[in-house]
Amino acid sequence: MTVQNTSELASALIRVLKEGKQDTFHDIIKDLQPFDVAVQFKELPVKHRPLFLEFLTIKELTELLRHLNQDEQLHVLRVIGPERSTAILGMMKNNDLAFLLTGLPKAQVDELIAEMKQEEMDNIVSIMNYPPKTAGRAMTKRYIWIHSSYTVDRAVSKLKHFANLATYLNYLYVIDDEKKLIGVVSYRDLLLAEPHALIVDIMSCNLITADVLMKQEQVAKLIAHYDYVSIPVVDETTILVGIITVDNVLDIVVREANEDIEMLLASGKAIDFKTKPLVAAKKRLPWLILLLFIGLISGSIISRFEATLEQVVALAFFMPMIAGMTGNTGTQSLAVVVRGLVTEDLSFKKSLKLLVRELIVGILIGVTCAILIAVIAYVWQGSFVLGIVVGSSLLATLIIGTIAGTIIPLVLHKFNVDPAVASGPLITTINDILSLLIYFEIATMFISKLM
């Protein structure tokens, strides 16, 4: 059955679900990618979702879960019941299952995995024992290892036997008698080698590995740097414990990027187009209340310099511009640093170089904007001194704002705090306070010449 577009597809699905036509339902979705099936499920009215899930096969349900968030996954498992849930959990990749179980109460985790096969249960429990956001949490144990004493023929036989259980067949990992990783053989190597050749003679010993406690972001960098489709994960004794694949890395990168954007905007996690107003407000309020109280400091600064404002009312005209420009330049620097921390391994030397670079940028921007606003202030208000006050204040605040947006995330990173928590609104609020303080201090110094 051919469907013209997304809206026609949605209408067709609702129609066949109302009529209970399972065969027609499968005709509609058979050519869809799992991601597209997930999109249709999420767009479907709630009342039609149970039947939608009932019509899906276990394999289709497993693929569906990969494209849902944790809350949606748990909802699906509740709807389809324990028997089908157990079958699905048994088919899921270890790392996907670990993501599903992360943050759940132990009793709920035990309930979900209670009916799984013992080997699968042991695998998932071992993965869950590693700290969150480490390689151990992101790895899968579904890979193929071979012993260094194997022949090519024996290795190929094992590959064929376990092909359905393995996540990737691009590489076979070579271990010794103590299960330590000593080499890797690509599928291409096996095809080109003689059947009776020994694995130890054709394997590559030039290994790039991830420590089981390595941060997931660092693993992503390794795979990106070396263009691998998977990377082996080892413990402190170089024993092979799992692999991380490129699709896992993409999930990690997207998830981390989303978290950083949410933190940068102080908008709260897991807020999308479908989030209810009350939930969205609840997630945003803590940050905004904190910023509200910090913002009161700006009010106290203005109150402190009330006499200066009363004597030169024109100073008030430029307050929003100075505060806004300072906040903007600080946020720009913050974005540059946060992105750099994700894509680069920043040493002290690199951090110092970045700081000097941003200082120069701040000076160049500050001088340009300061001259421009000084001319505007002079033409607008007819006061050369006012132009000097506004221009010099903007120059100083833009430089300070740029430096603050650079230093704060670097300091947080040094103390192992996610630099994205130095969010745009926080940097903006801090820079508002600094800019007003500098502005009024300079204006007060020149008050006699301004009057």
Side-chain angles (χ1 to χ4, degrees):
M1 180 175 181
T2 303
V3 182
Q4 297 296 323
N5 54 44
T6 303
S7 98
E8 287 187 16
L9 175 59
S11 299
L13 282 172
I14 292 174
R15 186 169 59 253
V16 298
L17 288 170
K18 285 180 177 178
E19 296 170 356
K21 296 180 178 178
Q22 187 169 359
D23 291 340
T24 309
F25 172 84
H26 279 285
D27 286 340
I28 294 174
I29 70 164
K30 66 181 180 182
D31 295 325
L32 296 180
Q33 295 294 323
F35 172 80
D36 297 317
V37 175
V39 169
Q40 290 301 319
F41 171 74
K42 288 188 279 190
E43 294 293 331
L44 205 62
V46 175
K47 63 181 179 180
H48 295 305
R49 290 181 180 180
L51 190 57
F52 183 100
L53 296 173
E54 184 180 325
F55 282 175
L56 292 178
T57 65
I58 296 297
K59 183 178 179 181
E60 290 167 341
L61 282 168
T62 305
E63 290 295 327
L64 172 70
L65 286 190
R66 292 193 67 245
H67 301 285
L68 303 179
N69 64 38
Q70 188 186 47
D71 290 338
E72 291 166 340
Q73 290 174 334
L74 293 172
H75 170 71
V76 168
L77 295 178
R78 283 194 297 269
V79 170
I80 64 177
E83 185 175 342
R84 298 184 85 196
S85 293
T86 300
I88 291 168
L89 296 179
M91 289 183 65
M92 288 178 70
K93 297 178 185 177
N94 302 140
N95 53 296
D96 288 337
L97 187 51
F99 172 72
L100 167 62
L101 300 177
T102 296
L104 298 181
K106 186 177 184 303
Q108 191 174 359
V109 172
D110 292 341
E111 181 183 349
L112 285 170
I113 67 174
E115 301 302 321
M116 292 176 63
K117 293 179 180 178
Q118 189 62 46
E119 182 180 359
E120 288 293 330
M121 189 187 301
D122 292 342
N123 284 339
I124 192 60
V125 168
S126 68
I127 287 175
M128 292 293 292
N129 284 335
Y130 294 112
K133 297 193 175 184
T134 59
R137 276 293 184 95
M139 71 184 183
T140 177
K141 289 182 174 287
R142 294 187 175 181
Y143 61 92
I144 295 179
W145 61 264
I146 52 178
H147 195 274
S148 57
S149 63
Y150 283 11
T151 61
V152 169
D153 192 42
R154 185 177 177 185
V156 170
S157 296
K158 182 170 184 177
L159 188 152
K160 290 179 179 178
H161 184 73
F162 290 101
N164 292 333
L165 297 177
T167 301
Y168 270 80
L169 298 179
N170 304 69
Y171 304 115
L172 281 73
Y173 298 98
V174 186
I175 62 172
D176 61 15
D177 293 333
E178 297 176 341
K179 296 186 178 179
K180 292 184 177 181
L181 180 66
I182 59 172
V184 62
V185 176
S186 70
Y187 186 70
R188 181 177 181 275
D189 293 333
L190 289 179
L191 286 176
L192 298 177
E194 294 295 329
H196 298 295
L198 293 174
I199 292 297
V200 71
D201 294 330
I202 66 168
M203 71 180 187
S204 171
C205 298
N206 185 20
L207 294 169
I208 302 296
T209 63
D211 182 82
V212 73
L213 297 178
M214 181 183 287
K215 290 182 179 180
Q216 292 177 359
E217 295 93 331
Q218 292 176 296
V219 179
K221 289 176 186 176
L222 278 179
I223 288 185
H225 289 164
Y226 295 99
D227 289 330
Y228 289 157
V229 295
S230 64
I231 193 168
V233 181
V234 297
D235 65 12
E236 66 277 3
T237 61
T238 70
I239 290 178
L240 181 63
V241 293
I243 67 169
I244 293 181
T245 58
V246 69
D247 61 327
N248 302 145
V249 168
L250 286 174
D251 291 340
I252 292 166
V253 169
V254 170
R255 198 177 303 137
E256 290 295 324
N258 287 337
E259 288 179 2
D260 285 349
I261 290 170
E262 288 157 359
M263 289 179 180
L264 281 168
L265 299 178
S267 62
K269 292 185 179 181
I271 298 178
D272 55 26
F273 292 156
K274 295 184 178 180
T275 304
K276 295 180 180 178
L278 189 61
V279 175
K282 185 179 178 182
K283 290 179 180 294
R284 292 178 181 176
L285 267 176
W287 257 113
L288 294 177
I289 290 173
L290 173 63
L291 296 175
L292 183 149
F293 282 105
I294 296 175
L296 289 175
I297 300 174
S298 299
S300 67
I301 292 173
I302 296 173
S303 175
R304 175 184 165 189
F305 292 96
E306 187 177 353
T308 303
L309 267 177
E310 286 177 352
Q311 294 177 66
V312 186
V313 178
L315 289 171
F317 302 160
F318 300 96
M319 282 167 48
M321 178 275 300
I322 287 181
M325 287 289 290
T326 309
N328 290 339
T329 191
T331 304
Q332 288 175 340
S333 295
L334 171 66
V336 170
V337 175
V338 169
R339 183 180 180 277
L341 290 171
V342 172
T343 58
E344 302 273 349
D345 293 317
L346 286 186
S347 60
F348 176 77
K349 186 177 180 180
K350 283 186 178 180
S351 299
L352 189 60
K353 186 177 179 181
L354 175 64
L355 185 58
V356 172
R357 197 279 304 274
E358 288 300 304
L359 174 60
I360 295 172
V361 170
I363 293 172
L364 292 174
I365 292 173
V367 169
T368 304
C369 292
I371 293 172
L372 184 61
I373 197 61
V375 172
I376 291 172
Y378 171 66
V379 173
W380 183 18
Q381 296 298 317
S383 171
F384 177 75
V385 176
L386 180 62
I388 294 296
V389 168
V390 175
S392 59
S393 298
L394 186 60
L395 171 61
T397 56
L398 286 181
I399 293 173
I400 290 173
T402 302
I403 295 301
T406 306
I407 289 178
I408 291 176
L410 287 175
V411 170
L412 290 172
H413 179 69
K414 178 68 176 176
F415 289 98
N416 294 320
V417 177
D418 193 332
V421 300
S423 65
L426 178 59
I427 289 288
T428 302
T429 305
I430 292 173
N431 282 342
D432 283 350
I433 295 169
L434 293 174
S435 62
L436 289 174
L437 193 59
I438 292 169
Y439 181 42
F440 283 119
E441 287 288 359
I442 293 176
T444 303
M445 288 169 56
F446 288 88
I447 191 66
S448 61
K449 299 189 182 299
L450 284 169
M451 294 178 62

